[in-house]
Amino acid sequence: MNKDRVNGLVVFGIGVLAYWGSQGFNRREAALSENPALYPQLLALVLCVFGVALAIQGLIRKESSKQAPRGERTGVQRSLYVVLTLVGYAVGIYLFGFILPSLLFMFGVPILLGASRKTAFLVSVPLTIALYVTFFLLFKVPVPQGAIFR
Amino acid sequence: MGFDLYLVGIKLFDGSVILFMVLGVVLGLIVGALPGLTATMGVSILVPLTYSLSPTAALMMLLGIYCAANYAGSISATLVNIPGTPSAVMTTLDAYPMAQKGQAGRAIGLATLSSALGGLFSVFTLALFSPLIASVALKFTSLEMFLVALWGISIMAYVSPGSTLKGLISGFLGLLIATVGFDPLTAAPRYTFGSVYLSSGVQFIAVMIGLFGVSEILLNIEKNHKGTKQELFKVEKSFESLKEVKGLWGTILRSSVVGVIIGAIPGAGGTIASIVAYAQQKRLSKHPEELGKGAPDGIAAAESANNACTGGAMTTLLSLGIPGDAVTAILIGAFVLHGLQPGPFLFEKHFDLVSAIFIGMAFINILFFLFGMFGAKYFARLLFLPRAVLNTGILSLCVIGTYAVQSSMFDVGVMLLFGVIGYLMSKQEIPRAPLVLGLILGPLMEENFRRWIGLAHGKYLTVLRDTYTKNPISIVLTILVVSTFLLPLFQKQKKVTEDASKYIAKETRKE
C-alpha cells in the first residue's frame, strides 16, 4: 500500500474518532451557536472528506512502496534512540532537577550522534552551565528543581 | 493616529530592549549561518526565553532573530555553497561562483547590502500599509473575520510545498487540536479526557517547539549532517561592494516589491520570493547568460526579495492577525504569551508597541548590516562546530524552554509528542506550518463562526444574502477562499513551490 492511501485512512480515522468523541459534549439545545459539539463535528466531517480524497488520490497514483535504503534506516534508528533519550531526560529533570540529568544528557547524546567521548566530556559541563546561566541568570526563567528535592 | 505612529514607540526603547534586540540579531546570525537551523526553528525554541522580558524586549529579540536569520543564510551559501536557510537557495547560484573567483568579500557585501535594503523597504511598506489595512479590518463582521482566517489557512496549504490536500489536512488538524479544552461559550470540556492539564487547551508553544525544534533536529540527525571540513574562502574588501549599489537600485527595488507582496501571502515566505525575484531578474537582465555564474544582480535580486518578505509577513500579522509565514505564525504565540493579540485591535490598544515594532525592525536591518559587513567571516567559523554537540544543546533547550513557560512537565510531554508527529509529517510530505496556523487561528475562527450563527437566528440564507448585497468585502473574501480551494483542481503543478522544493532537495542531496 502506498503512503497516501495509508495517510488518507489515518486522517479518515482521526475524523471519525473526533466526531464520535464530540458526541459526549455537554449540549445546550436552545441555540445552535451554543452547541459546543457543532464546530468540532464540522471539522471532523471535513477531515473525513479530506481523508477519503487523499486515499483516492493514492489509489489513482499507484505509487509503489519502496524499501528505505540502509543508510536511511540507520538514520531512523538513530532518531528513535534520540527520542527515547529525550523521554528519559524529561523524566530525569522532573525527578532530579536540571543539573545532573543535563550533564548526563550532554555527555551521552553527542556520543550517540557520533562525537568522541573526549569531545562529549569536554562539552557537557560548559553546555550545561551555559544553559543554566542563560535561563536562570540572564533571562530569569525557572529551571526544573526536581520532585525529590522539593 | 497620524505621524505619532512612527515616533511614539521610541519611548519604549530602554537599555534592556536595545540589549535584547542586539542579542536577537546575533542569535539570528548564528541560526542563519548554520545549515540545518532555520529562522522558524530559532524563533520557536527561543520564545520561552522571552517569558520574563517586557513585551517590547521580547518582540525585539524575536524579530532580531527572524530578520537576521533570513539574511545570514547567505553567509554559508557564499562560503561553502550550502544555503544556511532555505530562503538563501537562489543566492547560492551566484554568490558561490563569485567566491570561487576570489571575490567572497564582494559577494558577502552585496548580499548584506541587498538584504538590508530589502528589509528596510519592507519596513517602510509595513509602516505605510498595516495601519490602513487594520482600519479596514476593524469594520469586518464576524463572517468576514471567519473568511479571512479560513483564507489564511487555505492559502498557506496551497502555497506549502507538495500536495495542497495534505496542506489542508494539516491546517484542519490544527483547527481540531485548537478545540481541545473548555468551550469558550458554554465552558463544556471538549477532548480533555478528564485531564486537568488539557482543560485550558493544548499549549501551542509546546506544539511549535515540538514541530519546528525537535522534529527538525531529528531530521538533521537522520541525515547525519556533520559540520563542514571544507576550507572557507577569505572574506576581504566587502565594503568595496557598496559602490556597486548604484547599478543595482532597479534590481533591489523591483525584487523588494516582489518580496513584500509574496511575504504578505500566508505561507509563501522567503524561498518562493527569492525564486520569483531571481526568475524576474533573469527575464529583465541585459545579460541573462551571466546569472548563475557569479552575477551581482542575481545576488541582489535573491537577497533583497527574501529579506523584504519579513515586512510583508508582518503586515498581515499586525493588521489582520494572519501570519505571512511560519515564523510569524510562531510570533503570534509570542504575542499571546505576553497577553497581546495581533490584529486590527493592536493598533487601538497597543499603539506604542506597534510603533516600536516599526522602529525596531528598521534598526534590526541596520544592525545586521553592520554585523554582516564587519563579522560575516566570524559567523562563518560556526560552520566548523561539531553538529552532534550543537544538536544536543538545541534538544536540551527545547526541553527546558518548554518546561519554563508554565513550569509543566505535561507540556514537555506534549512537545515531545509533537516532535515525533512533526517528524512523521515530514516523512509523509505533510507540511507542518498549516497545522500551527490552524492551531493559532482556531479560536478566532470558531468564535466568529458561532457568533455569526447566533446573530443569524436560524435565517442563514437571508443574512448571507444581506451581507453579500451590502458589503463587497464579503464577496471578495468568499471568492478568494473558494478559488484557493478550487485552484489545485485546475492546475497540474504548483510551479514555483515545486521548483523550490526540487531545488532544496537537490541541494540537500549534495550535502
Side-chain angles (χ1 to χ4, degrees), chain A:
Chain A
M1 235 193 319
N2 77 7
K3 273 190 202 172
D4 284 356
R5 265 185 277 175
V6 178
N7 290 333
L9 290 175
V10 170
V11 172
F12 180 77
I14 292 172
V16 170
L17 277 176
Y19 192 91
W20 175 73
S22 69
Q23 287 184 322
F25 297 161
N26 180 25
R27 287 166 190 235
R28 294 185 182 185
E29 299 293 352
L32 196 60
S33 64
E34 289 183 17
N35 180 357
L38 172 74
Y39 180 73
Q41 280 179 350
L42 283 174
L43 295 176
L45 288 173
V46 173
L47 277 174
C48 287
V49 173
F50 285 163
V52 171
L54 189 62
I56 292 171
Q57 225 175 49
L59 276 171
I60 295 168
R61 284 191 187 154
K62 282 186 183 165
E63 284 163 11
S64 60
S65 53
K66 289 183 289 186
Q67 183 87 22
R70 189 166 169 74
E72 201 176 308
R73 283 209 302 274
T74 322
V76 174
Q77 272 174 7
R78 206 169 30 237
S79 299
L80 184 69
Y81 292 146
V82 171
V83 171
L84 294 174
T85 316
L86 268 173
V87 174
Y89 178 49
V91 174
I93 59 168
Y94 171 69
L95 292 173
F96 304 106
F98 172 74
I99 297 192
L100 190 64
S102 294
L103 280 170
L104 290 173
F105 185 78
M106 304 292 186
F107 177 70
V109 176
I111 295 173
L112 189 68
L113 300 182
S116 67
R117 278 167 195 257
K118 189 182 157 193
T119 309
F121 179 75
L122 286 175
V123 297
S124 59
V125 177
L127 257 182
T128 308
I129 293 172
L131 274 178
Y132 187 81
V133 168
T134 309
F135 273 89
F136 201 64
L137 301 179
L138 184 62
F139 286 91
K140 312 258 185 281
V141 174
V143 292
Q145 298 301 311
I148 60 166
F149 298 122
R150 266 183 232 144

Side-chain angles (χ1 to χ4, degrees), chain B residues 131-210:
Chain B
L132 296 175
I133 301 171
S135 62
V136 175
L138 277 171
K139 292 170 193 149
F140 279 5
T141 62
S142 48
L143 176 68
E144 284 152 3
M145 273 320 287
F146 170 77
L147 287 171
V148 166
L150 188 61
W151 178 68
I153 290 169
S154 59
I155 194 82
M156 192 174 246
Y158 177 69
V159 181
S160 301
S163 145
T164 304
L165 183 58
K166 286 183 181 175
L168 285 170
I169 287 170
S170 175
F172 274 78
L173 280 173
L175 290 175
L176 190 65
I177 295 166
T179 64
V180 173
F182 286 129
D183 171 35
L185 254 74
T186 63
R190 298 189 297 190
Y191 305 119
T192 58
F193 309 103
S195 163
V196 67
Y197 297 110
L198 287 173
S199 56
S200 55
V202 177
Q203 234 288 335
F204 51 75
I205 290 181
V207 176
M208 285 170 200
I209 295 177

